[in-house]
């Protein structure tokens, strides 16, 4: 591949880090959420093969308001009639929140600025977002202007915006500027333009201007972007009158990292899209950013407690699917197929329940520390039903977890590897995932059914206890084609049953046994598990019945028949 055609970032832009100023962002911590500004309705919408109409935009906008976003970029009203009409729709119908501010986007052209201001007529508050490309390649190739000429265009546009805003004293109109391709622009030129607009717009702490610094096309590792943001953060004039904003794209796949490091470096505001939609490889993903903070114990200041409902609206409006491996929101992101992962998660859930009980708090309030799950899926509206799923790569822990949580069957530790082999053989043959229902049916067919329909069958049986404490088991057994009455004695019903089987010529040693109630209440089923040696063959069997004794006898008989089938 002709890699020599491409230049490293340091040959394209100089990032000054003065010798007397050490980087502060590596030691910084994010302790509160920045101001989130979703740009789905403008930047994200421009990236759709089928842009949203007013109905879809309104549904998306209402979702954003319900989630708690306070500043929302809603369109590029001078670019299309649809965007213009949607801003007018908001002006007529309202935004649904007295504290919600609409942002509109405009290039630095007077006639388009006029159209933009026309669109926001009647809105009580708005931010007008002015942009122009500033980097050398864009100046030379796209604009055909030198630095001074670009600056002059921006100043004239900003002054025109100020005059239009002054003509509407009844509205709260604030300003935002974005030097598009900031990360490829000379830092001194960015400072010159931004400081000039801060002065021109007479920004103050109670009426700040927003300077939005986009990584329009990612060119370097995220630490370089952090250096660029920190340089502006330290050197912008009237810093207390400026909201420093970032707008990372994802060309190198590091948009989230760029945004997080930019906040460490001094950014106070982040523009992005839900689930990262945007041209070309996407805008930074606000869902991931917000839940990354949440997973660190920081309030994200937006409501993602029903992540599936959020995703459903976004997928409907964008007509794009969210990837199944998307962090936090994907269908498979809280799911483990791997046996080692399943075992760790299952143990983590058990430990979490014990800790909650020790603290005397609900599990939903107990500190979260479960392997492989950075957040509790329940906190974002997911159930635990899909946390563990089974295929040929899964292990005994996951299968046991599903049987216990879905069907109330708590397999003995020694039985789990045996059932794991059964499931892996079945899934290897099918090549498909096994659902919890299919696992249960496979368990019944493998371990329970042989006790009810096998070579050795109990036609009838009774048990009683003699005065000396010995148990007696009397039964009619069908062994193949022959039937007979047999009797056994032992120190318990099962040992007496084994003795009766021996009288029928079937030698059985019960090596392991367990039982439990499947559900709550007196009418619930009991489950019994028995590991038996029959001749040289060792097999597990299981029984299910409302009678514990009947379930126990079925479990032993199932193990006998499974061993006989193996022999």
């Amino acid at each position: 591949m002709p890699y020599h055609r491409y230049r490293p970032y340091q040959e394209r832009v100089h990032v000054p880090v003065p010798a007397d100023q050490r980087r502060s962002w590596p030691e910084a911590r994010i302790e509160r959420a920045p101001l989130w500004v979703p740009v789905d309705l403008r930047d994200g919408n421009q990236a759709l093969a089928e842009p949203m109409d007013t109905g879809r935009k309104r549904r998306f906008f209402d979702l954003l308001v319900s989630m708690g976003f306070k500043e929302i970029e809603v369109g590029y009203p001078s670019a299309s009639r649809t965007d213009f009409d949607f801003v007018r729709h908001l002006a007529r119908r309202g935004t649904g929140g007295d504290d919600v501010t609409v942002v509109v986007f405009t290039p630095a052209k007077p006639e388009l600025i006029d159209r933009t201001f026309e669109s926001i007529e009647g809105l009580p508050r708005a931010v007008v977002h002015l942009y122009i490309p500033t980097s050398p390649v864009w100046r030379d190739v796209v604009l055909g202007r030198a630095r001074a000429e670009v600056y002059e265009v921006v100043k004239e546009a900003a002054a025109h915006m100020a005059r239009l805003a002054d003509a509407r004293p009844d509205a709260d109109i604030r300003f935002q500027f974005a030097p598009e391709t900031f990360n490829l622009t000379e830092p001194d030129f960015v400072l010159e333009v931004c400081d000039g607009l801060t002065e021109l717009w007479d920004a103050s702490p109670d009426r700040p201007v927003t300077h939005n610094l986009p990584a329009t096309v990612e060119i370097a590792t995220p630490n370089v972007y952090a250096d660029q943001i920190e340089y502006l953060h330290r050197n912008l004039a009237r810093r207390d009158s400026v909201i420093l904003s970032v707008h990372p794209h994802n060309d190198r796949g590091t948009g989230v990292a760029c945004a997080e490091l930019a906040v460490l470096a001094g950014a106070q505001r982040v523009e992005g899209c839900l689930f990262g939609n945007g041209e070309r490889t996407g805008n930074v993903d606000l869902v991931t950013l917000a839940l990354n903070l949440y997973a660190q114990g920081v309030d994200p200041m937006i409501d993602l407690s029903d992540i599936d409902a959020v995703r459903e609206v976004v997928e409907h409006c964008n007509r794009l699917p969210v990837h199944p491996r998307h962090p936090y929101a994907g269908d498979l992101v809280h799911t483990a197929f791997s046996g080692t992962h399943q075992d760790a998660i299952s143990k983590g859930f058990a430990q979490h329940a014990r800790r909650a009980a020790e603290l005397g708090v609900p599990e939903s309030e107990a500190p979260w520390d479960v392997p492989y799950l950075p957040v509790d899926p329940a906190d974002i509206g997911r159930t635990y039903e899909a946390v563990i799923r089974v295929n040929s790569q899964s292990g005994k822990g996951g299968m046991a977890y599903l049987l216990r949580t879905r069907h109330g069957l708590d397999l003995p530790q020694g039985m789990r590897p045996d059932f794991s082999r059964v499931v892996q053989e079945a899934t290897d043959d099918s090549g498909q995932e096994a659902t919890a229902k299919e696992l249960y049916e496979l368990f019944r067919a493998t371990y329970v059914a042989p006790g009810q329909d096998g070579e050795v069958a109990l036609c009838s049986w009774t048990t009683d206890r003699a005065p000396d404490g010995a148990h007696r088991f009397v039964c009619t057994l069908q062994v193949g084609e022959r039937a007979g009455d047999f009797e056994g004695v032992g120190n318990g019903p099962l040992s007496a049953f084994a003795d009766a089987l021996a009288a029928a010529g079937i030698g059985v040693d019960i090596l392991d046994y367990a039982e439990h109630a499947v559900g709550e209440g007196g009418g619930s089923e009991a489950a019994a598990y028995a590991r038996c040696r029959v001749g040289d063959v060792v097999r597990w069997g299981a029984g299910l019945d409302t009678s514990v004794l009947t379930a126990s006898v079925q479990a032993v008989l199932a193990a006998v028949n499974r061993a006989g089938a193996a022999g």
Side-chain angles (χ1 to χ4, degrees), residues 108 130 132 149-159 177 193 197:
L130 174 70
I132 195 169
E149 292 174 306
V150 169
Y151 187 21
E152 192 61 33
V153 168
V154 172
K155 284 195 298 184
E156 289 178 3
F177 171 65
V193 177
L197 296 192

Side-chain angles (χ1 to χ4, degrees), residues 314-538:
V314 173
E315 287 182 328
H316 168 79
C317 294
N318 284 345
R319 298 185 178 170
L320 290 173
V322 171
H323 195 282
R325 294 293 182 191
H326 179 283
Y328 303 107
D331 279 337
L332 298 178
V333 73
H334 301 289
T335 295
F337 288 98
S338 160
T340 54
H341 289 205
Q342 291 174 348
D343 182 60
I345 291 170
S346 180
K347 290 174 179 174
F349 277 140
Q351 174 62 22
H352 180 71
R354 287 193 295 270
R355 184 184 297 116
E358 291 168 359
L359 294 172
V361 298
E363 290 184 31
S364 60
E365 295 295 328
W368 183 254
D369 196 14
V370 173
Y372 294 112
L373 297 176
V375 299
D376 185 346
D379 286 353
I380 54 176
R382 290 286 179 84
T383 67
Y384 295 138
E385 291 181 1
V387 170
I388 289 176
R389 290 163 63 173
V390 169
N391 60 18
S392 60
Q393 302 301 309
S394 303
K396 59 186 185 297
M399 298 163 197
Y401 174 85
L402 287 176
L403 286 181
R404 184 179 73 252
T405 57
R406 306 289 187 86
H407 300 286
L409 298 179
D410 191 6
L411 272 57
Q413 288 288 341
M415 191 180 191
R416 296 177 185 183
D418 191 80
F419 184 49
S420 175
R421 287 189 290 271
V422 171
V423 174
Q424 287 182 337
E425 287 177 7
T427 49
D428 272 334
D429 290 342
S430 70
Q432 296 180 342
E433 177 187 351
T435 66
K437 182 175 182 292
E438 289 167 340
L439 285 178
Y440 180 67
E441 291 170 351
L442 184 59
F443 175 82
R444 288 192 66 111
T446 304
Y447 298 102
V448 178
Q452 301 167 340
D453 182 19
E455 181 72 13
V456 181
L458 266 174
C459 301
S460 63
W461 59 278
T462 61
T463 182
D464 57 37
R465 190 170 186 178
D468 62 359
H471 290 259
R472 188 166 66 104
F473 195 98
V474 179
C475 62
T476 299
L477 283 170
Q478 179 84 31
V479 183
E481 297 297 323
R482 61 188 178 89
D485 297 327
F486 302 94
E487 181 177 330
V489 178
N491 60 5
L494 291 188
S495 61
F497 178 39
D499 193 46
L501 287 168
I506 304 170
V508 179
D509 292 322
I510 301 174
L511 306 176
D512 201 353
Y513 173 78
E515 65 184 45
H516 64 82
V518 174
E520 297 180 356
S524 67
E525 276 191 320
Y529 314 92
R531 177 171 166 263
C532 301
R533 180 186 292 114
V534 183
D536 295 330
V537 179
V538 176

